[in-house]
Amino acid sequence: MERVDVATLAATAERLQNIVGDDLRQQMQLVQPLRALNVMQLGEHQFPERVQLLGPLIHAGDLAMVFAGRGVGKTQVCLSIGAALAFGAVFLRWKAAQPVGVLYLDAEMAGAVMQQRVASFIPEDASDDQADNFRLFTPDLLPEGQPLPDLSTVAGQQMVEPLIDDKTRVIVIDNLSAWCRTGKENESESWTPVSNWLLTLRGRGIAVLLVHHAGKNGEQRGNSKKEDLLDIVIQLKRAGDYDPRTGAAFTWAVTKGRHLHGDDAAELDLTLTINDGVARWAFKEAEASSAERITALADEGLTGPLIAEELGINRSTVWRALKKAGKLPAKASKPQPEPEAH
């Protein structure tokens, strides 16, 4: 083992410290002084208008996340949202105001699979001159031997910058775990370089949709700090009675929506069908859908507790649905709260 020259090591450390100091001084010279507005100035100031891109669901500059367990349907949902934005179409109950440029950054799927999926979501009335509105990156387009950029580093962010042209108004990052690989998901400091980049994109009026995995507890995986700066967070989850033979079927739940209210914030049950290469969504509000499943199971002879267990819901939810449908047994009464686990 070679001996360490202490003097050389100290000189190197001093040299690095000087470099860091010079870099910091240069950055400080570029920083503009901060300012605050009084109430009169605030009332008169012209802030950039919040332009709706996909109804109230997505505005210019919004930061959003869709998360779910593996295989639930995250990519299908986000491809469909991207296609609606790019071609001025409809996604569920939200209509795009006009076609905008969408950059979809995929990190895991095979190029041939993404090719088929994208084609299934393109509206039938899309015109050839709108083709540039939706652009896809897939790892299969990387030069041989070149690794995927790491968006949790400045170098990785700079590598994707050439893909963000003047027409880009929405970027979909699918998915966070594959694109952001430096640091640990459970450490909030690892998220700082990514959040700084996202805020820069927001400042440019670019909306970003993050695709993320759910952890074992059903929540988004990693540190919850990710959600602090986000405007919208959508969770996709399967019902307790999910049957894999039905294909993509799950619940859409808004867990954070700074500007979503009323019907726009309602929980929805979604079903995706693809026939002859054309994808179509069917949806209904989850409360109505849940009530239908509850009454159907009651008609099959299942009791309230068994229905609750089958669907993975509270007994009180079952009781209310059966009462509303007039299907409670004659002597049924409101169930007692379930005992807490000790």
Side-chain angles (χ1 to χ4, degrees), residues 99-117:
V100 297
V102 175
L103 173 62
Y104 199 105
L105 301 176
D106 178 66
E108 289 187 338
M109 301 287 286
V113 174
M114 291 299 289
Q115 186 178 47
Q116 293 177 345
R117 289 192 176 188

Side-chain angles (χ1 to χ4, degrees), residues 84-158:
L85 287 161
F87 301 104
V90 176
F91 171 71
L92 304 181
R93 55 174 38 146
W94 300 285
K95 173 75 167 64
Q98 61 182 10
V100 297
V102 175
L103 173 62
Y104 199 105
L105 301 176
D106 178 66
E108 289 187 338
M109 301 287 286
V113 174
M114 291 299 289
Q115 186 178 47
Q116 293 177 345
R117 289 192 176 188
V118 171
S120 70
F121 288 110
I122 296 176
E124 296 176 354
D125 59 351
S127 59
D128 292 344
D129 59 2
Q130 293 176 323
D132 287 340
N133 287 354
F134 189 101
R135 293 178 300 125
L136 172 76
F137 170 87
T138 170
D140 285 358
L141 296 174
L142 283 169
E144 185 176 354
Q146 181 170 317
L148 188 75
D150 184 348
L151 296 182
S152 52
T153 67
V154 174
Q157 296 162 12
Q158 291 175 342

Side-chain angles (χ1 to χ4, degrees), residues 63 151-152 157 188-202 225-226 229:
L63 304 177
L151 296 182
S152 52
Q157 296 162 12
S188 58
E189 291 78 8
S190 301
W191 179 244
T192 301
V194 183
S195 64
N196 290 341
W197 181 56
L198 295 178
L199 290 173
T200 300
L201 293 172
R202 169 186 277 172
K225 186 177 180 180
K226 294 185 184 72
L229 78 164

Side-chain angles (χ1 to χ4, degrees), residues 253-314:
V254 179
T255 62
K256 180 179 181 181
R258 286 179 174 165
H259 44 258
L260 295 178
H261 309 282
D263 290 344
D264 291 315
E267 196 168 291
L268 305 174
D269 280 344
L270 311 185
T271 303
L272 175 66
T273 57
I274 301 179
N275 295 316
D276 298 326
V278 178
R280 287 186 173 83
W281 291 101
F283 71 94
K284 62 178 63 176
E285 294 201 4
E287 183 177 354
S289 178
S290 178
E292 290 178 3
R293 295 202 298 270
I294 290 169
T295 54
L297 290 173
D299 289 341
E300 293 177 11
L302 271 69
T303 63
L306 288 176
I307 294 173
E309 182 179 352
E310 174 75 13
L311 300 181
I313 58 179
N314 294 328

Side-chain angles (χ1 to χ4, degrees), residues 206-241:
I206 298 174
V208 181
L209 177 57
L210 306 172
V211 185
H212 194 32
H213 291 298
K216 293 181 179 179
N217 61 355
E219 300 300 317
Q220 64 94 6
R221 199 168 71 189
N223 195 283
S224 60
K225 186 177 180 180
K226 294 185 184 72
E227 298 189 18
D228 291 349
L229 78 164
L230 302 180
D231 301 287
I232 307 165
V233 180
I234 305 296
Q235 180 183 19
L236 308 180
K237 51 187 178 181
R238 286 178 176 148
D241 61 342

